[in-house]
Amino acid sequence: MKIIVLGSAAGGGFPQWNCNCRNCAGVRSGTLAATARTQSSIAVSGDGNDWVLINASPDILAQIRATPALQPSRAKRDSGIAAVMLMDAQIDHVTGLLMLREGRPLPLYCTASVWNDLNTSLPLAPVLSHYCGVHWHALHTIGDGPGMQAVQVPGIDGIRFTPLVLSSKAPPYSPHRAQPGIGDNIGLLIEDTGSGRSLFYAPGLGMIEPQVDAAMRQADCVLVDGTFWRADEMIELGFSSKSAADMGHLPQSGEAGMIAVLDSLDAHGDAPRRTERRKILIHINNTNPILDDDSAQRALLARHGIEVAFDGMEIVL
């Protein structure tokens, strides 16, 4: 199984177009040891030819230009993208669908909750019906426990996708933003059925619930929410009145933060204990100090064996 990180930043990318924080100012001026990043998305393939695009970022055209595997190579009109799978209906994860409007109907995998938002409050599906159109395939998150109904995408042989319910929030535009429901946000356990190796992907993760903990312990690679370093990051910097939790994200620092969670995966007594497991942060907000390669926070992550995703990063499992 092959995974390409197409984009590794949170909404707005890095640097963010209207932000003059230390990180954004530093990367623009070249005074900060940091790399620009587009908004988060990954692509998954079993053979390196046909790929499932997981989330369609507003930066998708730039991401395709930077990724030869997704470019046309077999016909006059062609794409390495066989289907799109959505984790949620956030603007930074779905508006790239509009950039894929040329060509054949687009196979789209998402939950009923996300599909409803894309047909009502943010009506991308009706708009696309006037262009390529989309064929919706429902991701079911109710079955043997909170989300255990695996799907296989035609053309993506040997790869199984299992959606897991996450406790998070619908997008701000959604009518049920204040009443979160099942399917508003999912994580994915992505398995190579031949090798048995797996990836757990959750760019928006606000709480570690039993099904999430189990999937993380099973996975050979954990690619998870790296949005904020501190719970009060946006408040402290004067950019927002909302905490990380208010926005549905688990910060890295703190006793119950992501570093502690990732450390616990390989704690003595776990079965199986996977000391070789890769632990990678993605969906990194422009304010997060881990974007600075020379920061103390980045050094701390390294001591804990935690990597920071970057655009173009390749993972082979």
Side-chain angles (χ1 to χ4, degrees):
M1 177 167 62
K2 301 177 182 180
I3 302 102
I4 300 176
V5 174
L6 303 177
S8 51
F14 175 63
Q16 185 172 303
W17 68 278
N18 66 339
C19 185
N20 198 35
C21 70
R22 175 183 178 274
N23 285 347
C24 291
V27 76
R28 286 193 192 99
S29 65
T31 59
L32 191 78
T35 303
R37 287 165 162 83
T38 58
Q39 295 168 92
S40 70
S41 176
I42 66 172
V44 179
S45 177
D47 62 7
N49 295 314
D50 294 296
W51 299 77
V52 176
L53 178 66
I54 301 182
N55 290 335
S57 152
D59 300 316
I60 184 59
L61 295 185
Q63 293 167 348
I64 292 171
R65 284 193 292 269
T67 311
L70 301 184
Q71 296 168 9
S73 61
R74 297 166 290 193
K76 289 182 178 180
R77 285 292 181 103
D78 177 48
S79 172
I81 300 171
V84 179
M85 191 172 291
L86 301 177
M87 311 290 290
D88 53 46
Q90 298 286 349
I91 284 176
D92 52 314
H93 287 161
V94 302
T95 48
L97 292 171
L98 293 174
M99 300 299 103
L100 304 177
R101 64 188 180 273
E102 296 87 3
R104 295 174 295 179
L106 189 65
L108 182 67
Y109 293 75
C110 64
T111 65
S113 173
V114 170
W115 182 243
N116 182 64
D117 279 338
L118 295 184
N119 278 277
T120 55
S121 301
L122 185 66
L124 299 187
V127 171
L128 286 169
S129 71
H130 297 281
Y131 297 90
C132 63
V134 295
H135 284 164
W136 176 48
H137 302 265
L139 292 179
H140 297 289
T141 53
I142 303 174
D144 291 331
M148 296 303 293
Q149 295 195 27
V151 300
Q152 291 186 283
V153 177
I156 310 297
D157 296 334
I159 307 296
R160 182 169 58 212
F161 301 84
T162 303
L164 287 89
V165 172
L166 301 184
S167 291
S168 190
K169 295 177 180 288
Y173 70 80
S174 174
H176 52 100
R177 168 75 167 182
Q179 293 87 36
I182 291 174
D184 288 339
N185 189 296
I186 62 169
L188 283 173
L189 182 64
I190 307 170
E191 301 168 275
D192 184 315
T193 58
S195 69
R197 294 174 68 80
S198 60
L199 169 80
F200 178 68
Y201 181 52
L205 187 56
M207 185 182 303
I208 308 299
E209 297 175 291
Q211 72 275 11
V212 173
D213 181 71
M216 292 174 77
R217 292 183 187 280
Q218 176 181 339
D220 297 281
C221 181
V222 176
L223 185 58
V224 291
D225 193 330
T227 310
F228 298 116
W229 180 259
R230 291 175 48 171
D232 63 350
E233 188 168 310
M234 297 293 280
I235 299 170
E236 181 68 20
L237 292 173
F239 290 135
S240 175
S241 60
K242 296 180 180 179
S243 67
D246 291 335
M247 290 183 271
H249 298 288
L250 185 68
Q252 283 104 66
S253 61
E255 290 185 4
M258 191 64 78
I259 294 174
V261 170
L262 295 177
D263 281 351
S264 75
L265 299 181
D266 299 319
H268 180 70
D270 282 351
R273 184 178 182 183
R274 294 179 180 264
T275 56
E276 76 280 7
R277 180 190 288 112
R278 290 185 70 179
K279 296 170 283 190
I280 309 172
L281 300 177
I282 194 169
H283 195 269
I284 305 155
N285 198 57
N286 60 287
T287 57
N288 194 327
I290 66 173
L291 289 168
D292 180 352
D293 295 343
D294 296 332
S295 66
Q297 292 86 352
R298 188 65 169 271
L300 179 61
L301 290 181
R303 290 197 295 274
H304 286 264
I306 300 171
E307 303 173 63
V308 177
F310 55 87
D311 292 17
M313 183 182 206
E314 297 189 9
I315 302 165
V316 179
L317 296 173

